[in-house]
Every structure is written in C-alpha cells, then in structure tokens.
Amino acid sequence: MLYRQVLDPLGGSLAWSALCAAIPLLTLFVLLGVFRVRAHLAAAASLALAVALAVAVWGMPVGQALSGAAEGGFYGLFPILWILVNALWIYRLTEITGWFGVLRRSIRTVSPDQRVQAILIAFCFGALIEALAGFGTPVAITAVMLVAVGIAPVKAATVALVANTAPVAFGSMGVPLTTLAGVTGLPLDDLGAMAGRQTPVIALFIPLVLVLLVDGRRGVRQTWPAALVAGVAFAIGQFLAANYVSVEVTDIIAGIVAVVALLGFLRVWRPAEVRQGVAAPAVAGGSSDAVDAGREAEMRRRETGEGSALMAFAPYLVIVVLFAITQLGPVKEWLGAHGVHQFAWPGLDVRTPGGQPASAMTFKLEHLKAAGTILLVAGLVTMALYRVSFGRAVRAYGATLHQLRWTIVTVTCVLALAWVMNLSGQTTTLGTALAHTGEAFALLSPVVGWLGVAVTGSDTSANSLFGVLQVTAARETGLDPVLLASANSTGGVLGKMISPQNLAVAAAAIGMAGSESTIFRRVIGWSLGLTAVFAVFVYLQSTPVLGWMVVG
C-alpha cells in the first residue's frame, strides 16, 4: 500500500503539525533529563509514541510504521552496536591481560596532568579515530582511555561526548559531506571548503571546554596554554586541509597537526600545578578472568604497569592501520564492490511530499567494510599479540554482550524511533516548519542539522534527511545554498553529544549502562549553548559582517 508523506496533517497547519511531531523527541529528552528514567525505558516509550502519531496523525499504515521501526532497529544493531561491541571487546582483552595498566602508565608518561591527558586522548586521538571510523567509535574508545588515566567514569563519558564534535563533519573519510554533495548536487569541494571555514571555530573552544569539564575554572586557568595550542593547531590544520587539500583527509591532517603541536609544546611547558587522577578499577569487569588465569605476568602488569608501551598501545595502532588500509584505492574499491549489499527493505512503499521514493526504504548492509567488522579483525589481531586463548576471548566477548544488554535495547529503540519519524514525515515536518522563517532561516539552519543529528545520532543521516531542504530554503529566501547546506552538517555535530544513541554508547563504554540521564544533564547545556553561539556565527556569515568567509 503506497504511503505518501504529508507535511501538515494536523488541520492543514504546518505549525501545529510541527509541534505534534516534536512530541516524541520532547518526551525522550524530558524523561531522560527531568524524570531520570532509564534510557531503554525512555526510548521505548518515545518509540511507541512516534508509531502512534505516525499512524493516527500522519496516516501511515500500521504495517509500514512497524516495518520502518524494524529497519531502524536493525540499523541500530548493524552497524552501530556492531561497532560498540567489538570496540569494548578489544578493551576487555587489554584489561584481562593486564595491558590496560601498562596503557595507563604510558599515557601518564606523556603528561602526568589529567587535564592535558583529556585534550590528548579525547580531542586529538579522538579526532583521528573519527577521521577513520566515526559512528560512535571515538566515544567508546576514548571514554575507556580517559578512565584509564583516572578520570571519573561519568566525567570521562562527558568529556568524550563533548570532544566528539569538531571532527564529525569530516569524519569517516568525509562521508557526511560526500553524502551532502550527493543529495544536494552541490560541488563537494565547495561544501568542504565552507565547512572548513565553520568547524574550526568550534575546534578553537572545545579543548578549553574539556579542561573546564575535568577541573573547573582552575583547570582553565592552569592549562589554557595547552588547550589553546591544541585548538588553534587543529583549527588551522582543518581549515587548510579542507580548503586546499582534500575533504577525505581533513581530519587526519588536523588530528596529526594537533598531536604534534601539543606534544612539542609539552616539551617546553607544563602546568604550575599538576593534577593527577587516581588509578581507576577495571571498567568492564574483566579482572576476575585475570585472577582465575593465575598468570603472574598479567597480574604484575595490572598492579605495577610494567611492560612495553608499544604493546600497550598496539590494539589502537592496529585499529588505525586497519582503517587506513581500507581507504587505500584498490582495497577501498574491492570492499565497495564485494563488501556492500543493498536491498529494498520489505514492507515499505513510501513517497516524499514531492512524490520521490523515500531513501530510507533502501538498506545498505556494509558487512565487510563496516567499522565494526574492521574492529573485529583488530580484536583477532589483539588476541594473537596478547596470546589470548580462543576460549578466553569468547568468554570475554560474552561478558561484553552481557554488559551491553540494556544498551542494545536503548540503541535499537532510538534508531527505530528515528526511522519511524523519518519515514512517516514527522522529521520533515519539523525541518520544513523551521525553513518557513524567511531570511532568518540562516539563524536556524544549524538548528535543523542539530535536530537531525539529535534524532539519528549521525551527521551523515542528518545530511541525507535535511540537505535538500536546506538548499530549497536557501534558494527561496535568496541565501547562499552552499552556506546553509554546510551549516546543516557543521551545526549538526553539536547535536551528537545529546543523541540518545551516543549517550548509550558512552554509558556502556564506562561500564555504567543506565547512567544516560546523568550524562545527558551534563552535556545538554553545552550542546544548546554552543549551538546558539554557532547559529549566530552562521547568521553573520549570511550578512556583510562575515560574508567574506563564504565560498565564492
């Protein structure tokens, strides 16, 4: 049965329809932030509400609404949870073999100050992981590493989420922007150059926010030089790479420039007062395996941190190398030809308000080139490097799945919610209502991207969802299409830290599934505040004040 999306199903009023469409999202965030409901229950309730509205208000057939929810839930399992499970399995292997303790000691030799460590791990190293993988991988990995240096778990999750903003628009080798270029027809180079004149502004401030989160105003007062060096270096690297090199390697260049600049600065500077964290216990609960095994070397590594720093970092170096290999020309082409299976999701026949088939009806299963698959291979390599037996590795994998049981429910429900809202037209109604604000839309353009990422957890998905809407609104209001399209992507990155999907990833990474509401309350202010400031910045770019920054 054909279903055609309607923008104004509630009495023919776009405004009232948009308010109605916002109810599932408001419900989700209120349950998390105000009533502190556990994330999987809040997500399930919001999903049920979205399905009810899709059927009762938007007129979507029940079967298609449920099929759309199933597609979104499957996307939550693969690739999102496939990434998280394998990333945390690798961490568990390092923990049960004692190399986690060595990693902790090795990071502290670079700088004993945990505020500087937060910049190095969450901002610099996280950017490199985002450049190669994306989809929550940087949050999962850096949150664990932050706990390793003694930062409290909830604080570590908060830092990891806030840090995973500036590099996101160019993440996964530029996939968000290449997707945006594909759906809008705008030149990729122009979009990349424009994004490279927006996200560096975010990068300038994020390291300062991180040290504020770790140690308050004292942290900013004592470590602002290091934060400034990292932010400026990353911003310059991102601007130059996006405008004069390539969209695909922008974050790699920016991340490397930031790491080199900060390490060089640390050779001649250190904070007047060093703030060291207390060694944290195992996050993933793998210590019992090490005790039962009775391996003296493992216990010594756990207790004293004795061991090779190279071996301690080996799993993460393997991850970077494997992702880099998959981006090589012949390998990338082979994976694109043999590692992707695309098919029409059964039970869906949806048309957009303009009459085109909804893109969400087609499911792309990237089984070989998926980030989770690459992480699985990295885990197998880690098994060999650390000489972990097959049986022990399987037990560790099972323990990881048990740890993530409620996170799995949360992520599948959140992605099911996103798919139902997208396929029924609820999300498009919200975006279209914002686009009907005339020239003031330049101020709201980043908010549309923020909304898309908050719903889907992905800058790529938000660009697919709202890219055409941004260009259409720009042409109707006489604004620059490249400016608004890129603002959709760059503004969207600030919604990533409050996306329930990413909150669940962060909570699971620190071994505190169920703490999503606590983390949400810590990041919501930063997400809204930074988005508001950035929206003003984009608005000024649409005026003569900063119009000289727009790609000509």
Side-chain angles (χ1 to χ4, degrees):
M1 182 178 177
L2 174 65
Y3 168 67
R4 183 161 179 166
Q5 297 172 350
V6 182
L7 292 177
D8 52 359
L10 199 61
S13 170
L14 181 62
W16 285 109
S17 299
L19 288 174
C20 185
I23 290 175
L25 290 180
L26 292 175
T27 300
L28 178 60
F29 292 137
V30 169
L31 288 176
L32 282 175
V34 178
F35 295 102
R36 304 184 183 185
V37 175
R38 290 177 66 88
H40 64 280
L41 297 176
S46 301
L47 169 60
L49 190 55
V51 171
L53 289 173
V55 174
V57 179
W58 270 261
M60 190 177 195
V62 175
Q64 295 209 47
L66 295 177
S67 180
E71 182 185 9
F74 186 78
Y75 186 84
L77 293 172
F78 195 98
I80 305 300
L81 286 165
W82 183 232
I83 293 171
L84 179 60
V85 169
N86 290 317
L88 292 187
W89 175 56
I90 292 172
Y91 157 68
R92 189 177 289 269
L93 292 178
T94 68
E95 203 282 324
I96 65 175
T97 55
W99 287 106
F100 185 69
V102 182
L103 175 66
R104 180 189 296 118
R105 176 188 60 79
S106 301
I107 293 174
R108 286 175 173 170
T109 60
V110 177
S111 173
D113 191 286
Q114 65 176 193
R115 299 162 298 186
V116 177
Q117 293 164 353
I119 299 172
L120 275 169
I121 295 170
F123 185 71
C124 299
F125 184 68
L128 290 173
I129 297 296
E130 177 67 34
L132 297 167
F135 292 101
T137 310
V139 173
I141 291 176
T142 60
V144 169
M145 295 177 73
L146 290 170
V147 174
V149 298
I151 296 178
V154 172
K155 186 179 290 185
T158 304
V159 169
L161 284 167
V162 173
N164 190 222
T165 49
V168 169
F170 295 94
S172 302
M173 303 300 289
V175 167
L177 289 173
T178 55
T179 301
L180 183 61
V183 299
T184 62
L186 297 174
L188 175 60
D189 290 343
D190 289 351
L191 289 171
M194 192 64 242
R197 303 177 191 193
Q198 294 174 331
T199 54
V201 175
I202 299 174
L204 287 172
F205 296 100
I206 291 299
L208 290 168
V209 174
L210 300 185
V211 297
L212 181 64
L213 289 170
V214 174
D215 195 34
R217 294 181 180 178
R218 176 181 56 188
V220 176
R221 187 172 61 253
Q222 295 179 351
T223 60
W224 67 264
L228 190 62
V229 166
V232 170
F234 188 91
I236 292 174
Q238 199 173 51
F239 168 76
L240 293 176
N243 281 271
Y244 303 109
V245 184
S246 167
V247 168
E248 288 83 356
V249 299
T250 292
D251 275 349
I252 295 177
I253 293 174
I256 292 174
V257 169
V259 169
V260 172
L262 185 55
L263 291 179
F265 183 68
L266 291 174
R267 296 177 65 89
V268 298
W269 174 91
R270 65 182 302 170
E273 179 186 352
V274 175
R275 299 285 298 176
Q276 296 191 49
V278 179
V283 178
S287 57
S288 59
D289 272 351
V291 173
D292 294 341
R295 292 180 170 86
E296 294 184 3
E298 291 180 0
M299 291 301 299
R300 187 163 56 252
R301 285 195 294 266
R302 290 178 59 81
E303 295 171 2
T304 67
E306 294 180 4
S308 165
L310 182 61
M311 283 292 288
F313 281 99
Y316 304 103
L317 295 176
V318 168
I319 290 171
V320 172
V321 169
L322 287 177
F323 275 109
I325 290 174
T326 62
Q327 299 302 321
L328 296 176
V331 178
K332 186 176 182 179
E333 291 177 7
W334 187 89
L335 289 174
H338 300 88
V340 180
H341 180 54
Q342 191 166 295
F343 60 94
W345 190 265
L348 290 176
D349 189 4
V350 180
R351 297 293 183 272
T352 66
Q356 296 83 18
S359 59
M361 293 191 300
T362 301
F363 194 93
K364 182 183 290 187
L365 184 65
E366 298 180 331
H367 45 287
L368 292 182
K369 64 180 296 187
T373 303
I374 298 169
L375 287 170
L376 176 63
V377 175
L380 297 175
V381 175
T382 301
M383 282 175 54
L385 288 173
Y386 289 169
R387 300 180 181 179
V388 180
S389 67
F390 179 77
R392 198 173 178 211
V394 170
R395 289 195 298 274
Y397 205 96
T400 303
L401 289 173
H402 182 265
Q403 174 195 346
L404 296 175
R405 61 193 184 280
W406 294 119
T407 303
I408 291 171
V409 176
T410 300
V411 173
T412 52
C413 285
V414 167
L415 269 297
L417 165 69
W419 252 249
V420 171
M421 290 189 67
N422 293 348
L423 285 167
S424 66
Q426 295 175 56
T427 310
T428 305
T429 296
L430 277 170
T432 304
L434 291 175
H436 277 64
T437 55
E439 293 184 2
F441 183 61
L443 185 66
L444 298 177
S445 179
V447 178
V448 174
W450 178 91
L451 173 67
V453 177
V455 173
T456 65
S458 165
D459 199 42
T460 301
S461 298
N463 287 342
S464 297
L465 191 61
F466 289 136
V468 174
L469 182 146
Q470 295 272 11
V471 171
T472 302
R475 288 171 177 160
E476 289 179 355
T477 56
L479 297 168
D480 190 294
V482 172
L483 171 64
L484 297 196
S486 61
N488 189 82
S489 189
T490 53
V493 305
L494 297 170
K496 201 170 179 68
M497 66 179 85
I498 65 160
S499 167
Q501 166 197 316
N502 291 296
L503 291 170
V505 168
I510 61 173
M512 294 180 64
S515 63
E516 292 87 355
S517 60
T518 301
I519 301 171
F520 173 78
R521 290 196 301 276
R522 294 201 177 190
V523 298
I524 180 63
W526 290 109
S527 180
L528 293 175
L530 289 170
T531 301
V533 173
F534 188 72
V536 173
F537 173 69
V538 172
Y539 175 76
L540 292 176
Q541 286 186 320
S542 72
T543 71
V545 177
L546 294 180
W548 51 270
M549 297 182 67
V550 178
V551 175

